Amino acid sequence: MPRLQPPRGTHDLIGEEQRRHRFVIETAREIAGRYGFEEWATPIFENTEVFARTLGETSDVVTKEMYTFPDRGGESLTLRPEGTAGVCRALVSNGLTQTLPQRVFYAGPMFRYERPQKGRFRQFHQIGVELFGPSPLTFPDGRLPSGVIADAEIIACGHDMLHHLGIGADVTLEINTLGDTVSREAHRAALVAYLRDFVSDLSDESRVRLEKNPLRILDSKDPRDQEIVAHAPKITAHLSGEAQKFYDGVKKYLDVFGVPFKENPRIVRGLDYYSHTAFEFVTTRLGAQGTVMAGGRYEGLVREMGGPQVSGVGFAAGIERLAMLLAQAPAATAPAMVIAMGAGEVEEAGLKLLQALRRAGVAAEFSYHPSLKRGLERADKIGALAAVLIGEDEVKNNTVIVRDLARREQNAYRTIEDVILAVKKTFAEHA
């Protein structure tokens, strides 16, 4: 019988890979907390309508990539392909639209049926943040909208996450504006008029998009399409006065937050409820698929879930791709190895030491073999820094030996408190 393997496009997280994965999540969680974000955990599957409404019925994700299935009651369910829709649904379901702003951090697995490639899997993992409440509408006294600061703050949060992961020097922040409704309608009309002169040269997919969602042609990966859209009208030529002020404000506050950026007028979002700020953190270290974090502002997602009109801005980042950029994996925990060289009272004394170390906050492992040699071999294999040794003589003399495995030095101690202090000191000296 052949050995079972994980399904195509999935992978096990073990050892170094798991340590990288955990480090990304823990770092992101810490930085999000500094920015006042509270962690939410939503189900990994939702009613299919949650994603069909928010991602667009004609999007590639909905038509080609979602894992959708009927449950035993005949209800259509979908494994979540992204995190924002579920968070918006949770905001409405839990009656939280009346207590804004809400600042949300999430982390977990997502699922898309697509061709596996470097850093991209069918079950993948994301971190993300969403900030609900601050509006793009101008204050009555003429001050800039609160959404301007919110957008810059969200980007600053992503910037800080990347820098605390140690990969900030490897990524570049690119920003664009999608404008307001007036701006987008004017840009859409100009774009359609331009593209109709190239209908016969567009890819089959872009010819369909020309009728249904022409903005998505700007994001086409087809070389023919890219050559055509290189000279297409840019939205910056069609911004309303309010949209221009909003965009200028975001750039101003990015400077205030100390976040460098470059403008990229080709960053787009294909759905109508995305507006104003769009951004991506990109790298050249992962080949053609260079985006490691992306986000922007949206105005209609909460309403699509049956809630009121609530503005939102956020971003998501693939954990696998971020983990690949880490210079090195975090080290595995280096425990103490407790070796009881005998049975009966000796073994019991060793186990008591083991639990005393653990309850004092020290990682410790027990050698299941009473041989000193076998115990030290295991200690070497797991990278232990200290060995705690007890045998018949130690039990008789009411002592315990703590050996510094790096220096090959050892001392005897009479109390559990002294053993704990000696082990902690050894750890500290080799940190």
Side-chain angles (χ1 to χ4, degrees):
M1 180 179 292
R3 289 187 300 174
L4 292 174
Q5 300 294 325
R8 184 168 185 253
T10 67
H11 65 302
D12 300 311
L13 292 169
I14 297 173
E16 176 182 323
E17 191 171 7
Q18 171 60 20
R19 295 198 300 275
R20 287 175 177 265
H21 185 97
R22 183 177 63 194
F23 179 69
V24 170
I25 293 178
E26 290 176 348
T27 301
R29 181 179 286 125
E30 179 184 350
I31 300 306
R34 294 183 189 180
Y35 278 75
F37 289 91
E38 183 177 15
E39 187 166 0
W40 291 10
T42 62
I44 64 169
F45 61 87
E46 299 267 4
N47 292 317
T48 299
E49 191 177 9
V50 168
F51 304 112
R53 281 188 185 186
T54 57
L55 296 174
E57 297 280 2
T58 62
S59 72
D60 286 349
V61 175
V62 172
T63 60
K64 301 176 183 178
E65 298 174 5
M66 291 202 317
Y67 281 94
T68 298
F69 57 94
D71 68 4
R72 292 185 178 182
E75 191 168 6
S76 180
L77 302 176
T78 295
L79 297 178
R80 62 186 183 195
E82 54 85 41
T84 302
V87 171
C88 288
R89 192 272 310 147
L91 184 79
V92 176
S93 299
N94 292 279
L96 297 173
T97 58
Q98 303 304 312
T99 52
L100 299 175
Q102 290 285 341
R103 308 168 77 91
V104 183
F105 168 77
Y106 64 85
M110 312 292 166
F111 306 84
R112 292 190 187 185
Y113 187 88
E114 58 182 343
R115 182 174 64 85
Q117 53 187 301
K118 184 178 181 181
R120 292 186 183 275
F121 300 91
R122 290 178 175 177
Q123 177 180 313
F124 58 102
H125 301 79
Q126 284 187 340
I127 52 171
V129 301
E130 310 292 345
L131 172 53
F132 299 104
S135 169
L137 300 177
T138 304
F139 287 108
D141 61 5
R143 287 184 294 139
L144 284 172
S146 57
V148 169
I149 297 177
D151 289 12
E153 187 182 16
I154 283 287
I155 295 172
C157 180
H159 171 270
D160 283 3
M161 285 182 182
L162 296 173
H163 278 266
H164 278 78
L165 286 170
I167 60 179
D170 298 315
V171 297
T172 300
L173 168 62
E174 298 182 350
I175 67 169
N176 189 29
T177 178
L178 306 177
D180 52 17
T181 302
V182 173
S183 308
R184 290 196 302 278
E185 288 178 354
H187 179 228
R188 180 188 178 108
L191 182 63
V192 169
Y194 169 81
L195 292 173
R196 290 209 182 280
D197 291 336
F198 299 93
V199 171
S200 60
D201 300 314
L202 291 171
S203 65
D204 292 341
E205 191 170 40
S206 287
R207 281 198 290 272
V208 173
R209 287 175 172 173
L210 183 59
E211 303 302 325
K212 295 183 176 181
N213 199 341
L215 280 178
R216 296 198 62 221
I217 299 175
L218 297 176
D219 200 33
S220 172
K221 301 301 184 289
D222 187 286
R224 294 172 299 170
D225 295 341
Q226 290 179 339
E227 188 175 341
I228 292 170
V229 302
H231 304 287
K234 297 179 176 62
I235 193 168
T236 48
H238 301 277
L239 291 178
S240 67
E242 287 295 307
Q244 185 66 61
K245 286 181 182 178
F246 193 99
Y247 187 40
D248 291 342
V250 171
K251 291 186 286 185
K252 170 188 172 181
Y253 284 110
L254 285 176
D255 287 337
V256 171
F257 282 123
V259 179
F261 62 89
K262 61 183 291 188
E263 296 180 70
N264 179 358
R266 296 303 174 200
I267 296 177
V268 297
R269 301 287 183 264
L271 299 172
D272 288 342
Y273 45 70
Y274 284 100
S275 65
H276 294 292
T277 311
F279 63 93
E280 296 180 358
F281 287 90
V282 299
T283 183
T284 58
R285 287 184 50 198
L286 296 175
Q289 301 290 333
T291 301
V292 297
M293 180 181 285
R297 171 164 287 278
Y298 47 88
E299 301 302 327
L301 284 177
V302 175
R303 189 172 55 198
E304 285 287 344
M305 298 297 172
Q309 176 59 40
V310 173
S311 299
V313 58
F315 66 74
I319 295 174
E320 283 83 356
R321 296 171 69 74
L322 292 175
M324 290 169 63
L325 292 173
L326 298 180
Q328 60 185 26
T333 301
M337 174 60 70
V338 177
I339 305 173
M341 297 170 289
E345 286 186 318
V346 174
E347 186 178 64
E348 290 177 12
L351 292 173
K352 288 179 180 178
L353 283 167
L354 176 75
Q355 286 302 85
L357 286 165
R358 289 170 172 169
R359 287 169 180 164
V362 177
E365 183 176 317
F366 188 71
S367 173
Y368 293 116
H369 203 285
S371 162
L372 175 62
K373 179 181 177 182
R374 294 280 293 274
L376 292 177
E377 286 174 350
R378 173 63 182 172
D380 182 64
K381 186 174 183 179
I382 65 174
L385 295 174
V388 178
L389 312 177
I390 187 166
E392 291 182 2
D393 289 343
E394 284 73 33
V395 170
K396 288 178 182 177
N397 297 325
N398 195 31
T399 59
V400 176
I401 295 172
V402 176
R403 180 179 295 184
D404 184 323
L405 293 173
R407 294 175 178 166
R408 298 184 182 276
E409 299 173 353
Q410 65 183 43
N411 291 287
Y413 300 90
R414 288 194 172 275
T415 68
I416 287 179
E417 290 75 18
D418 286 343
V419 170
I420 292 169
L421 288 174
V423 172
K424 287 185 174 181
K425 181 181 178 183
T426 301
F427 280 21
E429 289 175 348
H430 296 292

